[in-house]
Amino acid sequence: MYDFFDQTFDMPNHISTQEVSDSLSRPAQIGVSVAAFSAWFFGGMQILLTNLGMRAASLDLMGRQGMLDFAVFTDLNRRAGELVGSELAQLNAWNAVASQWYAWFQCAFLFGAAVGGYLFGKLGDRYGRTKMLGISILWFAGFTGLAWFAQSPHQLLFLRFLACLGIGGAWPNGVALVSEVWPNKFRPALASAIGMAGNLGIFAMSSMAAIHAVTPDSWRWVMLVNTVPALIGLGVLLFLPESPAWKKQSSQQTGMQSESSPSVFKGEHLRCVFIGIGLATIPLIGGWGSANWMMPWADEIGSQIGKEDLKAHIGMARSLTSIVGSFFAGMLAVWMGRRRMYFFISLGALVTAQYAFWMTVPGDFSFLVGVAFLGLFNGFYFGWLPFFLPELFPTSIRSTGIGVSFNFGRILTALTIFATGALMTAFEGDYARIGRITSLIFLFGMILVSFAPDTSRRNMMH
């Protein structure tokens, strides 16, 4: 039935078949893996910081700027089930504005990460993966710390955009670095580990929020917690070795004219980069533009029924199963085939999302089950991507190619969130109706993967 997934076309490959002679020692390989794992662990914490804390931050900062009367809002929210007339209209209006700010903060994350992924990815190809990985980590930790001082939604939005430049840059450089310093036989497990790292970060942030609730009165602490990776970034710059494959490629290009330098947007690489963007965009839109709306939905319902920690438990359920999914993703991709696995991930995510948004509501056990299964498929996606995307590109443009593929998908996702904001108005804040529409994106993933190349024979250390 799926034989068409096994068809191949010639991959562009400008990498020499000669072995890289100066491979890293085993301790150095482990150090590289720990650094990349740590970078994306804290990247996962940044993702949940956006999903978990930005609505609460919006309400607090809106109150400070006179956009709402926070005392009145709190009272109305507590009596939401019995409100009628002008009081209900006022509560709905304030919630709509808070939801719009939440959407803007999501877009700041996505646009910032997209721009940062391209810029730091290109710099990683030019100046080294290790340098740009360390600088990226220091960048997002520093600007996250500065967000503690924000006094308006506009200030926080600007600082979050700047921080997310570094988040976007950490992923392609970390993934490229790991893919180049280990033999192929280790790559499925390592790709799964990087995917799992982000989900472990999400779970860690959710667990902290379950212990210490993130509310409009108490959200700044999450900014301080997320300055910790600055120590990791400093350690990367001081102690981590560079990729031998990158050093060899860089020395071969010394003296070349800039116009002859390889580019992901030229000739034979262009098809691969478009495929990479498409395959990365599907889970990004499915997550940010669909499943992530479960968090503010749970936040809104939780505050009305007196369960302020409901959103944290939703985050924990989703991240726990994501950890499981990402752990097995690389190994399943080898066993099932890369493209066949992506097809079944998309099918499972589509069925689960439609069930969750049609048949459940926050607070129900069935809602938690739906969230958990969506988390599982999310983990499969983000364990699969760091395994597959590096195989699409040669060493000379690998960081750029990975960054463009993964992070340009975030631009398309941000545009989807803008559209979702319009749907929020059109559907009068009905999260379920929005989720039913946006989760149809998984159907396109089932189709798109049939156009992906067979990358299984590429040796990443060559």
Side-chain angles (χ1 to χ4, degrees):
M1 179 177 179
Y2 302 106
D3 287 345
F4 62 94
F5 289 145
D6 296 322
Q7 296 175 359
T8 65
F9 63 79
D10 291 336
M11 290 280 298
N13 191 345
H14 296 302
I15 304 175
S16 169
T17 58
Q18 181 181 350
E19 289 284 345
V20 176
S21 59
D22 53 341
S23 60
L24 297 181
S25 66
R26 184 52 53 87
Q29 290 174 324
I30 293 172
V32 164
S33 303
V34 170
F37 184 95
S38 300
W40 202 233
F41 173 87
F42 288 106
M45 291 184 65
Q46 290 278 340
I47 290 172
L48 200 76
L49 182 159
T50 302
N51 297 336
L52 192 68
M54 290 302 98
R55 186 175 184 274
S58 297
L59 291 170
D60 174 44
L61 297 176
M62 285 167 60
R64 291 173 183 269
Q65 295 297 308
M67 300 178 187
L68 61 74
D69 186 321
F70 189 70
V72 174
F73 172 82
T74 302
D75 177 63
L76 293 177
N77 206 44
R78 189 179 300 114
R79 299 186 292 113
E82 54 191 61
L83 296 180
V84 295
S86 60
E87 287 187 325
L88 179 61
Q90 180 63 78
L91 178 63
N92 288 340
W94 279 336
N95 274 325
V97 175
S99 295
Q100 189 61 57
W101 274 111
Y102 176 81
W104 277 104
F105 283 118
Q106 283 193 309
C107 290
F109 182 101
L110 293 163
F111 277 123
V115 174
Y118 177 73
L119 292 178
F120 283 106
K122 197 164 185 64
L123 289 170
D125 283 333
R126 185 178 180 89
Y127 298 109
R129 326 292 196 207
T130 299
K131 293 185 185 68
M132 290 306 115
L133 176 61
I135 291 172
S136 297
I137 297 171
L138 285 170
W139 186 287
F140 75 70
F143 280 108
T144 299
L146 288 175
W148 188 90
F149 299 99
Q151 295 298 312
S152 74
H154 302 86
Q155 291 177 6
L156 184 59
L157 185 69
F158 179 65
L159 289 169
R160 288 304 295 155
F161 173 80
L162 292 178
C164 293
L165 293 173
I167 298 168
W171 200 83
N173 283 295
V175 169
L177 192 57
V178 170
S179 71
E180 290 172 359
V181 302
W182 285 92
N184 279 5
K185 64 181 180 180
F186 294 107
R187 289 188 54 251
L190 290 167
S192 293
I194 292 175
M196 186 173 64
N199 291 310
L200 284 170
I202 292 172
F203 179 75
M205 194 73 250
S206 299
S207 300
M208 285 187 273
I211 296 170
H212 188 85
V214 181
T215 67
D217 294 323
S218 177
W219 59 271
R220 295 179 189 270
W221 65 269
V222 301
M223 304 297 174
L224 293 181
V225 168
N226 280 276
T227 63
V228 172
L231 298 174
I232 304 294
L234 188 61
V236 168
L237 290 176
L238 292 177
F239 304 113
L240 206 66
E242 189 52 79
S243 158
W246 176 84
K247 288 196 294 186
K248 181 178 181 180
Q249 183 70 44
S250 179
S251 65
Q252 289 174 348
Q253 290 181 345
T254 301
M256 291 177 60
Q257 295 181 351
S258 60
E259 59 266 25
S260 64
S261 298
S263 169
V264 296
F265 298 113
K266 293 179 182 177
E268 55 198 3
H269 303 300
L270 192 59
R271 180 177 183 180
C272 285
V273 80
F274 278 128
I275 289 172
I277 289 172
L279 293 175
T281 298
I282 300 301
L284 285 167
I285 292 180
W288 288 89
S290 178
N292 280 6
W293 287 96
M294 289 175 161
M295 193 74 76
W297 189 13
D299 188 14
E300 186 176 308
I301 298 297
S303 64
Q304 294 173 4
I305 63 178
K307 292 184 177 180
E308 294 288 350
D309 60 350
L310 179 60
K311 61 181 178 181
H313 289 126
I314 294 300
M316 291 173 67
R318 187 179 174 196
S319 58
L320 266 176
T321 51
S322 290
I323 292 168
V324 175
S326 55
F327 179 79
F328 289 105
M331 291 171 279
L332 286 173
V334 173
W335 177 63
M336 296 177 63
R338 292 143 172 81
R339 293 169 293 181
R340 187 176 289 113
M341 181 183 176
Y342 191 96
F343 176 89
F344 282 111
I345 298 172
S346 300
L347 175 61
L350 175 65
V351 172
T352 302
Q354 289 296 308
Y355 164 78
F357 285 111
W358 277 100
M359 307 298 294
T360 71
V361 294
D364 292 349
F365 178 74
S366 55
F367 183 82
L368 198 64
V369 171
V371 168
F373 271 98
L374 274 178
L376 179 68
F377 293 115
N378 178 77
F380 284 146
Y381 272 128
F382 290 101
W384 184 92
L385 286 170
F387 180 59
F388 180 79
L389 290 182
E391 297 178 339
L392 283 175
F393 306 102
T395 305
S396 58
I397 58 169
R398 185 165 292 137
S399 281
T400 306
I402 295 169
V404 168
S405 297
F406 192 72
N407 290 300
F408 271 53
R410 284 176 163 148
I411 294 178
L412 299 176
T413 304
L415 296 176
T416 301
I417 292 175
F418 280 128
T420 304
L423 290 176
M424 282 289 292
T425 302
F427 292 162
E428 299 178 343
D430 190 332
Y431 292 101
R433 293 171 68 187
I434 294 168
R436 293 167 197 161
I437 293 174
T438 54
S439 61
L440 293 174
I441 188 67
F442 296 120
L443 179 62
F444 292 97
M446 297 163 62
I447 300 170
L448 179 63
V449 73
S450 64
F451 297 96
D454 176 14
T455 60
S456 60
R457 294 186 295 274
R458 167 161 279 175
N459 190 331
M460 306 298 288
M461 296 188 73
H462 285 177

